[in-house]
Amino acid sequence: MYDVIVSLFFKSIEISYKWLNENLVSHVLTFSKEFGAVMVFLSAVAFLLIMIYFIMKQARKLPRRYVLETFDRDGKRTVIPELRVTFVTFQAAASYAEFYTRLYEGRYKFKLLGIKDNISVARRMD
């Protein structure tokens, strides 16, 4: 008699378990997997947007142009008429400063100035 009651009890639990598994648990698990994937995607997008913001902020701080100043051995500012002294990019200005340093073999020193609006940022090239 107890066997019949226990078997009926387990059958009823089994039916309710299958129904809950098919209608509730599987949907909750699917939702949690998709929610995790969406969170990873949103985190990646947020990271990229933050990086773009910082890059743009840094780009606004860069000088608009660069100027090479020439100094003789005594440290006095000198103007050599045939030299190109204004540049748009730092790489070009540094390259020309190195070229002029090799060309004049220590007779002159060159100082690279980054000019943003009316503010100059000094960089020394030895």
Side-chain angles (χ1 to χ4, degrees):
M1 170 117 167
Y2 291 113
D3 293 340
V4 174
I5 294 173
V6 171
S7 68
L8 285 175
F9 177 71
F10 283 132
K11 290 278 186 185
S12 65
I13 290 177
E14 181 184 0
I15 292 171
S16 62
Y17 174 76
K18 284 183 182 179
W19 184 84
L20 284 174
N21 188 29
E22 291 173 0
N23 294 319
L24 183 67
V25 175
S26 64
H27 295 298
V28 169
L29 290 176
T30 304
F31 173 76
S32 65
K33 287 178 187 176
E34 295 300 321
F35 184 75
V38 168
M39 291 305 294
V40 168
F41 177 75
L42 289 178
S43 298
V45 168
F47 175 76
L48 289 175
L49 290 176
I50 290 169
M51 290 307 297
I52 289 171
Y53 169 75
F54 282 123
I55 289 170
M56 295 302 292
K57 188 175 177 181
Q58 180 64 28
R60 286 188 205 122
K61 290 182 182 179
L62 292 175
R64 300 284 183 225
R65 62 188 170 106
Y66 296 90
V67 176
L68 276 179
E69 287 188 344
T70 308
F71 297 95
D72 61 6
R73 288 180 180 167
D74 298 330
K76 295 180 184 175
R77 186 177 293 160
T78 307
V79 177
I80 303 174
E82 62 267 3
L83 296 183
R84 178 179 172 192
V85 293
T86 58
F87 303 93
V88 177
T89 64
F90 175 77
Q91 288 85 6
S95 175
Y96 270 90
E98 289 176 21
F99 172 71
Y100 292 153
T101 302
R102 280 186 270 123
L103 183 67
Y104 289 105
E105 297 175 359
R107 287 180 281 180
Y108 298 102
K109 289 190 177 185
F110 297 95
K111 184 170 144 184
L112 185 58
L113 293 177
I115 298 177
K116 179 182 178 182
D117 301 328
N118 293 328
I119 302 170
S120 66
V121 179
R123 297 196 179 195
R124 188 172 184 92
M125 300 298 293
D126 290 317

